[in-house]
Amino acid sequence: MIVQKYKDMLQGKSVIRQLSEFATQRGCEIGYENVFDYSLGNPSVPTPQKFTDTMIDMLQNKDPMELHGYSQSLGIPAVRDKVAQSLNARFGMNYTGNHIFMTTGAAGAIAHAVRCVSEPGDEILTFAPYFPEYGPYINLTGAVLKVVPADTKSFQINFEAFEEMLTEKVAAVLINTPNNPSGTVYSSETLRKLAAIMTDKAEKYGHDIFLISDEPYREIVFVDVESPYPSKFYANTLSCYSFSKSLSLPGERIGYVAVNPACRDAEYISAMCSQISRGTGHNCPPSIIQLAVAEVLDLTSDLSVYETNMNILYRELINLGFECVKPGGTFYIFPKALEEDAVAFCEKAKKYDLIVVPSDTFGVKGYIRLAYCINTEKVERSLEAFRKFVKNEY
Amino acid sequence: MIVQKYKDMLQGKSVIRQLSEFATQRGCEIGYENVFDYSLGNPSVPTPQKFTDTMIDMLQNKDPMELHGYSQSLGIPAVRDKVAQSLNARFGMNYTGNHIFMTTGAAGAIAHAVRCVSEPGDEILTFAPYFPEYGPYINLTGAVLKVVPADTKSFQINFEAFEEMLTEKVAAVLINTPNNPSGTVYSSETLRKLAAIMTDKAEKYGHDIFLISDEPYREIVFVDVESPYPSKFYANTLSCYSFSKSLSLPGERIGYVAVNPACRDAEYISAMCSQISRGTGHNCPPSIIQLAVAEVLDLTSDLSVYETNMNILYRELINLGFECVKPGGTFYIFPKALEEDAVAFCEKAKKYDLIVVPSDTFGVKGYIRLAYCINTEKVERSLEAFRKFVKNEY
């Protein structure tokens, strides 16, 4: 028989997806350029030309048998070496290629990292506000996601709640910095304190507690914001990365797990991921994309538009009386709604063709998320809609 | 703590991999052209030029945001439609795009199909000889793989053993035709009988029994061999496909699940696969590869070399006194070894720089597998080594 739990999952439709579909539909009526669609976190700048040129060059000049041949399930050795070298140069780490497991984006990285360090029934803690896909990502591995309530002052970590929830059942802690949806970047102080608590508790319980650090927005950090590398603070760290945002390649599904060389059993973990991949059907990311990305590891798309957009929106939101923590990175901003019920707030916003997402699915009530990965010109035009909305409704 | 069961899996090293590494090492000593390496099933002909040209054309002319953007987790709708149309035209089916779930190769297809139709603890039956990766592929989903003993006369199905093992615990039956390692193609008679037995038992037990049909070698079928489409014989069929062999793209990880429209709950199954993919971290295959493959669905690499090689090898093996079922497709041949212990036989063959794989890991004892996806010129040169080997050792 077909498995009921997966059939049941078809009932729930993502709020973000619904809003995005509304925006598309509204666009058919009034022209999509007139819909201020802040629903989806899709990169809005093209991949670097060098990525495209590298792909074309390989297709024109490489032996197709070699280019499209099987890669090892861990990833192509030369690619893994280059990823290690790039991380070492940037963050003062000492990875080798053996600490890198190439994946199909951050989703693939998390799927393997979680299975590596947790048995079914173990708890994984994450912090609100959080990316709602973490629910199925974690729970479908057999582990159980538990959400630590938010520190709404700064969207750093609510350490009191964290210490309470960090029981013996917890196998790993999942962080996301820079954070979707808040745009917050965890400070060194936050990461130091997080590491100290995890170290204490691991010792107390007599078992490892792993840090799974989801970093798809690592490269989108704004001027003067300190963005420390989480793995520097805690040895038992598996860093999960995706090139989706930094290289604007979300459809090409490429990323990695980087295992801190000082991690317990570091020498086994990436090899274990490749065993796990036999059950997930993952095997390896596409060869040609691995090879092309390896040539542009230290490049990014022109990400400056996101900071420009953030500054325009932040200033206007503050002017309009919103409470808002200024984002340190990503392409999200997460102001407090002007009424308690964020769902009602977002519903009213639609009347002004402002498509924003209520915070409820991110594990916090009363906030809204704007994904400002859109043209700056449109962001500027949206300000008048915000003004009208606030003036008329509040 | 890291999960012991995955660490334990690191102990076992694949026999095929060991032999392939031996061949590479021996190649360093005497020149790889002098090693008759029949170990690995890697395509030996390039992808069609049109695939390469399509990739280059898209990279040069398409908007990179669109080209590399997120695809739906089910796959790009236009690609799914084209796959459905191609299957309908070839096999007289009535798929729509909604019955197609794009995957990262056949491994990805099997990982999702199995999870769709089996709960942890359910049994999945397959038939010896079988692709050894089915063990971890199935068992790591939580289901339990059981292997029906081989019909060594024809490598069709041992129906007596099958009927005995098809108990109430069986959720699905996994077939592989054309078959790795035997090269056998299931006949219409075999598929009809298989379907009849499954239908009877499903009725008797009061629950569905699904057919998961793994078909990466579908396009490699030799002249005058009938190769029926399994899904035509049994409604509850999920066909798992990979373009790895037909288009020589094993590294690019592209394939699909095609759900028979007459299958129970057919309208839900591909959507369920996309729910499952949130837990496997699969999400979707790379966009650019999906789009390029959709343009060459009805092409293949020049696969004729495999039949040429098969005929040369088959004739010589028979001349040398081997018992051998003539392959109907694939790029494998599976003769009986000249002594009971196939491992010892393959060990002796190494002295003649003949690298062949003992059948033990395929679930049958006393046979050997030759993967003849190598140059015809090398196949011809290997005959003398076979003659010497047999003359001196047997």
Side-chain angles (χ1 to χ4, degrees), chain A residues 1-7 9-10 12 17 41-47 51-52 55-56 59-60 63-65 67-72 104-105 107-109 111-112 114-119 132-133 136-138 140-141 171 206-210 244-245 248-253 264-265 267-269 271-272 274-290, chain B residues 1-7 9-10 12 17 41-47 51-52 55-56 59-60 63-65 67-72 104-105 107-109 111-112 114-119 132-133 136-138 140-141 171 206-210 244-245 248-253 264-265 267-269 271-272 274-290:
Chain A
M1 317 292 280
I2 63 168
V3 175
Q4 195 62 34
K5 79 169 170 183
Y6 297 122
K7 192 174 168 192
M9 287 175 74
L10 299 175
R17 182 66 58 183
N42 263 332
S44 63
V45 283
T47 195
F51 175 82
T52 304
M55 290 280 286
I56 293 171
L59 286 158
Q60 285 175 335
D63 172 12
M65 306 292 304
L67 181 58
H68 304 302
Y70 277 112
S71 94
Q72 292 186 19
T104 50
H112 291 84
V114 168
R115 283 174 172 84
C116 235
V117 300
S118 70
E119 303 272 0
E133 281 296 296
Y137 282 10
I138 305 299
L140 290 176
T141 70
H207 66 73
D208 298 325
I209 304 171
F210 284 84
S244 293
K245 275 72 182 184
S248 299
L249 295 173
E252 305 308 353
R253 317 303 308 141
R264 166 104 64 184
D265 291 318
E267 66 273 35
Y268 302 117
I269 291 184
M272 283 169 63
S274 95
Q275 296 300 326
I276 291 166
S277 78
R278 299 160 90 184
T280 58
H282 165 284
N283 284 16
C284 59
S287 311
I288 189 172
I289 311 287
Q290 285 189 62
Chain B
M1 318 293 280
I2 62 169
V3 174
Q4 195 62 34
K5 80 169 168 182
Y6 297 121
K7 193 174 167 194
M9 287 174 74
L10 300 175
R17 181 68 56 185
N42 263 331
S44 63
V45 284
T47 193
F51 174 83
T52 304
M55 290 279 287
I56 292 171
L59 286 158
Q60 284 175 337
D63 173 10
M65 307 291 302
L67 181 58
H68 304 301
Y70 277 113
S71 93
Q72 291 185 21
T104 50
H112 291 83
V114 168
R115 283 175 173 84
C116 235
V117 301
S118 70
E119 303 272 1
E133 281 297 295
Y137 283 10
I138 304 300
L140 290 176
T141 70
H207 66 73
D208 298 325
I209 304 172
F210 284 84
S244 293
K245 274 73 181 184
S248 299
L249 295 173
E252 306 308 353
R253 317 303 309 140
R264 166 105 65 185
D265 291 319
E267 66 272 35
Y268 300 117
I269 291 184
M272 283 169 63
S274 97
Q275 296 299 326
I276 291 165
S277 79
R278 299 159 91 183
T280 57
H282 165 282
N283 284 16
C284 58
S287 311
I288 189 171
I289 311 286
Q290 284 189 64

Side-chain angles (χ1 to χ4, degrees), chain A residues 155-199:
Chain A
F155 295 121
Q156 299 279 328
I157 286 177
N158 178 341
F159 281 108
E160 205 175 320
F162 175 55
E163 285 207 64
E164 211 164 285
M165 291 179 70
L166 189 55
T167 68
E168 210 165 353
K169 286 188 217 159
V170 175
V173 175
L174 171 59
I175 61 171
N176 173 219
T177 174
N179 179 267
N180 172 10
S182 71
T184 297
V185 183
Y186 283 176
S187 66
S188 292
E189 192 193 334
T190 294
L191 291 170
R192 251 194 305 272
K193 200 163 169 187
L194 177 74
I197 293 168
M198 287 174 66
T199 304

Side-chain angles (χ1 to χ4, degrees), chain A residues 89-107:
Chain A
R90 291 183 57 201
F91 302 116
M93 298 293 290
N94 57 339
Y95 295 112
T96 70
N98 289 332
H99 300 109
I100 308 298
F101 174 69
M102 299 304 295
T103 65
T104 50

Side-chain angles (χ1 to χ4, degrees), chain B residues 262-384:
Chain B
C263 179
R264 166 105 65 185
D265 291 319
E267 66 272 35
Y268 300 117
I269 291 184
S270 65
M272 283 169 63
C273 285
S274 97
Q275 296 299 326
I276 291 165
S277 79
R278 299 159 91 183
T280 57
H282 165 282
N283 284 16
C284 58
S287 311
I288 189 171
I289 311 286
Q290 284 189 64
L291 292 166
V293 157
E295 298 305 312
V296 293
L297 285 176
D298 296 321
L299 294 183
T300 66
S301 301
D302 178 2
L303 305 171
S304 63
V305 60
Y306 302 133
E307 182 157 12
T308 304
N309 291 354
M310 184 278 289
N311 280 320
I312 296 170
L313 276 172
Y314 178 74
R315 196 169 42 229
E316 186 66 26
L317 289 166
I318 295 295
N319 279 345
L320 288 170
F322 284 85
E323 280 178 44
C324 186
V325 175
K326 191 172 183 182
T330 76
F331 40 58
Y332 305 107
I333 191 166
F334 200 63
K336 198 166 182 180
L338 295 178
E339 61 182 292
E340 258 188 38
D341 182 347
V343 177
F345 179 87
C346 294
E347 202 52 38
K348 285 179 199 159
K350 281 157 101 176
K351 288 194 277 176
Y352 301 84
D353 296 314
L354 287 167
I355 315 301
V356 299
V357 180
S359 63
D360 302 55
T361 50
F362 301 105
V364 192
K365 281 187 186 296
Y367 289 76
I368 57 170
R369 187 190 80 170
L370 283 71
Y372 46 83
C373 37
I374 63 176
N375 289 341
T376 301
E377 178 271 333
K378 202 172 189 179
V379 172
E380 278 167 344
R381 278 195 291 121
S382 77
L383 301 185
E384 186 54 30

